[in-house]
Amino acid sequence: MASSVWVGERVRLRGREPEDWEAFHAFDEDSEAVRNGWRLEPPRSAARARKETTEDAEKEWDLDEFSLVIASKQDDAPVGSINTHTVDRLHGTFSYGIAVGTPHHRKGYASEAIVLVLRYMFFERRFQKAEAWVYSSNEASLALHRRLGFVEEGRRRRSRYANGRYDDEVLFGMTVEEYTERYA
């Protein structure tokens, strides 16, 4: 079987399929996990989750700004998602976001998905720097980014309100040279 830039030891990154709606709907039920990712929203109906997942699955592709399912390599079941955003083609920078469902935490899925996306963006799309914003209350994500070799570059103080408190946003960055030294 041919090698793929989208497959690691534990995960396969793939496009969203309409039948993925149930897994992502279940992930959205965990308020604490959702709060760590971006923002807590009112519960969605199963019908709306099904419709939004189908619409996402049918969207046109962009080579630089995309959202992928993090699927378990063992059974192709969704364990989370990763997306690229805030793409600046002129300066060669991009940001990404990642969310892994609570039942799949601490199994190496997030770190492997991040490394795969960085490899694609650096070596296939010619970007020179990746950035990630992490809320200061999300200790697991702070530790993950440090462990992966990201450099803490800055902090936006009290930039988000959730769960009755203000959080800082911590900016992490990694250059293509730092990635190459560590992973290539």
Side-chain angles (χ1 to χ4, degrees), residues 18-74:
E19 56 270 15
D20 293 334
W21 78 268
E22 287 183 90
F24 289 104
H25 188 62
F27 297 157
D28 286 347
E29 297 290 311
D30 184 343
S31 296
E32 280 307 307
V34 171
R35 215 182 255 125
N36 277 334
W38 186 34
R39 67 176 178 217
L40 186 62
E41 297 178 347
R44 291 185 301 168
S45 68
R48 182 173 181 99
R50 199 172 18 251
K51 179 180 184 237
E52 288 174 0
T53 302
T54 299
E55 288 171 356
D56 284 346
E58 295 172 354
K59 278 184 185 171
E60 290 297 318
W61 273 96
D62 181 305
L63 292 174
D64 299 331
E65 288 195 44
F66 50 83
S67 179
L68 297 172
V69 171
I70 303 169
S72 165
K73 191 173 168 185
Q74 181 180 0

Side-chain angles (χ1 to χ4, degrees), residues 52-106:
E52 288 174 0
T53 302
T54 299
E55 288 171 356
D56 284 346
E58 295 172 354
K59 278 184 185 171
E60 290 297 318
W61 273 96
D62 181 305
L63 292 174
D64 299 331
E65 288 195 44
F66 50 83
S67 179
L68 297 172
V69 171
I70 303 169
S72 165
K73 191 173 168 185
Q74 181 180 0
D75 60 7
D76 204 40
V79 299
S81 63
I82 188 167
N83 70 299
T84 57
H85 60 87
T86 321
V87 169
D88 184 335
R89 291 174 181 96
L90 177 64
H91 300 294
T93 62
F94 69 97
S95 297
Y96 69 89
I98 187 162
V100 173
T102 301
H104 310 290
H105 284 185
R106 304 199 186 283

Side-chain angles (χ1 to χ4, degrees), residues 102-168:
T102 301
H104 310 290
H105 284 185
R106 304 199 186 283
K107 296 183 179 173
Y109 297 136
S111 57
E112 193 167 280
I114 292 167
V115 170
L116 290 171
V117 165
L118 294 181
R119 182 174 60 197
Y120 171 77
M121 294 299 279
F122 289 149
F123 298 137
E124 302 298 329
R125 303 300 304 150
R126 253 186 269 161
F127 284 88
Q128 60 93 17
K129 184 177 176 200
E131 297 178 337
W133 289 94
V134 179
Y135 298 124
S136 58
S137 61
N138 190 344
E139 293 294 331
S141 189
L142 292 169
L144 168 68
H145 284 85
R146 289 180 180 121
R147 199 169 49 252
L148 287 173
F150 279 80
V151 175
E152 187 173 324
E153 297 184 338
R155 180 177 290 257
R156 289 179 56 212
R157 297 179 313 135
R158 294 176 57 121
S159 61
R160 179 185 80 133
Y161 182 79
N163 200 23
R165 68 176 182 266
Y166 290 95
D167 273 331
D168 295 351

